[in-house]
Amino acid sequence: MAMSSLPPVLHDSSHLLTSIIITNSPALSKAKGILMNTFEWFEASILAALNKDRVIKNLPPILPIGPLEPYHVPHDDGGDQYRSWLENQPAKSVVYISFGSRTAMSRDQTRELEKGLEKTGWGFFWVLKTSKVDKDDQEDAEHFLNESFLEKTKDKGLVIKGWVEQQEILGHPAIGGFLSHCGWNSVMEGALHGVPMLAWPQHGDQRLNAQVMEDAGLGLWERNWDWGPNSIVKGEDIEKKIVELMTDEKLRGRAKKVRDEAKKAVGRGGSSDMVIRELVNFLTISF
């Protein structure tokens, strides 16, 4: 683990989040186990280090029960526009772009991403977020993006602002790649659907997640794309990595392997399925 991959706030013991972690972490030793949204095959060496070598004294066992799928309550989510658009795209022809619900890209970086997408020649589905807090996200996509970009890409791209059903999108046959901040839920969703990922960590634990994702064979991580608001990745570099993401057949094969292992883990008798059954049995006996 590189020191540069640790969340920056953890280097500051006076930071509120860090102080909370320091204060609360000792309580973990009182737990019987820690449920984690991951699966044995995906992080075998890490789980072995924690569970067998016991690298941390008094840490309870990590219990992998993922990849977890969200429980969907039927409702009108306004997704008819992007669903119909996806249905009209060729298989594996669209790169899905999302940086999560708490990451807003700067206008300068957005311009460079526009340049990269325009030059790739691939279709794209971009979930655009312009502020960290949803209620402050007032501008329409048309007002935030370059008019010339929207005009040149109107036949091959779709830009959405607002909530989307990411699991549904990643499972669509049209999606051939996923440009992601590498939040852990996104990593697990990408794994479950076997969508090759291009990691672009922004903050928090996302560099660590990108390393795990790359080691598992699910995708690519360009380490020179620094995180944080002060670094700008150029459009030509974005173009190059997206083309690699969408054309590397060996990568696609590795991602398919990840998908197969993920589905095996949550299937009947799989590693995650067995952990849940053992947990239920333990709780039944205990109570």
Side-chain angles (χ1 to χ4, degrees):
M1 181 189 298
M3 286 292 290
S4 60
S5 290
L6 288 175
V9 298
L10 295 187
H11 294 280
D12 178 7
S13 61
S14 65
H15 191 281
L16 177 60
L17 175 62
T18 308
S19 64
I20 290 173
I21 292 173
I22 292 172
T23 301
N24 292 340
S25 291
L28 287 174
S29 63
K30 300 178 181 179
K32 298 294 185 182
I34 302 173
L35 299 176
M36 294 292 291
N37 181 20
T38 187
F39 56 108
E40 180 70 37
W41 183 92
F42 199 73
E43 297 191 85
S45 62
I46 296 171
L47 289 167
L50 292 172
N51 289 342
K52 297 177 182 178
D53 296 341
R54 311 298 291 189
V55 295
I56 302 176
K57 186 179 180 180
N58 296 328
L59 183 73
I62 306 297
L63 306 175
I65 58 170
L68 298 174
E69 292 194 65
Y71 177 75
H72 292 295
V73 178
H75 64 287
D76 181 11
D77 58 5
D80 291 343
Q81 177 191 2
Y82 66 75
R83 291 188 182 101
S84 61
W85 184 85
L86 283 170
E87 287 301 317
N88 290 310
Q89 307 307 310
K92 308 297 182 187
S93 69
V94 175
V95 57
Y96 171 59
I97 305 157
S98 176
F99 294 95
S101 59
R102 295 291 295 170
T103 303
M105 186 168 284
S106 70
R107 192 174 289 268
D108 288 341
Q109 185 60 81
T110 299
R111 294 288 178 262
E112 294 299 323
L113 181 50
E114 287 178 13
K115 294 175 185 177
L117 290 173
E118 185 180 327
K119 293 178 180 178
T120 65
W122 289 92
F124 62 87
F125 180 165
W126 183 0
V127 180
L128 178 66
K129 190 167 179 60
T130 58
S131 68
K132 287 186 177 181
V133 182
D134 288 338
K135 67 183 179 64
D136 296 333
D137 213 356
Q138 302 294 333
E139 290 184 289
D140 293 333
E142 292 78 8
H143 295 124
F144 194 81
L145 300 174
N146 264 327
E147 186 177 344
S148 61
F149 166 75
L150 293 171
E151 179 61 28
K152 292 176 182 177
T153 61
K154 63 182 180 181
D155 294 328
K156 70 170 187 176
L158 179 66
V159 182
I160 292 286
K161 288 192 71 176
W163 182 261
V164 298
E165 292 286 355
Q166 182 162 284
Q167 281 268 25
E168 179 185 6
I169 293 165
L170 290 172
H172 197 283
I175 301 298
F178 182 13
L179 174 54
S180 171
H181 63 313
C182 263
W184 190 249
N185 285 339
S186 290
V187 171
M188 283 292 98
E189 290 167 1
L192 187 61
H193 294 287
V195 179
M197 297 183 68
L198 173 55
W200 191 350
Q202 301 293 311
H203 50 72
D205 60 352
Q206 292 162 15
R207 275 180 172 260
L208 300 175
N209 300 344
Q211 178 71 63
V212 173
M213 179 278 298
E214 184 183 56
D215 288 346
L218 183 58
L220 310 169
W221 177 24
E222 180 51 69
R223 286 159 176 77
N224 292 328
W225 293 9
D226 201 6
W227 58 357
N230 300 321
S231 177
I232 301 295
V233 180
K234 295 298 184 182
E236 54 265 29
D237 297 324
I238 297 172
E239 173 198 4
K240 180 180 178 181
K241 296 306 293 187
I242 288 180
V243 169
E244 181 181 355
L245 174 73
M246 298 297 284
T247 59
D248 188 336
E249 290 301 323
K250 290 183 179 179
L251 173 60
R252 195 169 301 282
R254 294 196 299 269
K256 182 178 181 298
K257 170 67 174 176
V258 174
R259 180 198 68 189
D260 294 344
E261 293 293 340
K263 292 188 178 297
K264 187 188 302 181
V266 296
R268 182 79 176 187
S271 59
S272 295
D273 178 65
M274 293 300 294
V275 168
I276 293 175
R277 292 179 184 278
E278 290 171 7
L279 173 64
V280 171
N281 185 58
F282 168 78
L283 293 174
T284 302
I285 293 172
S286 300
F287 297 100

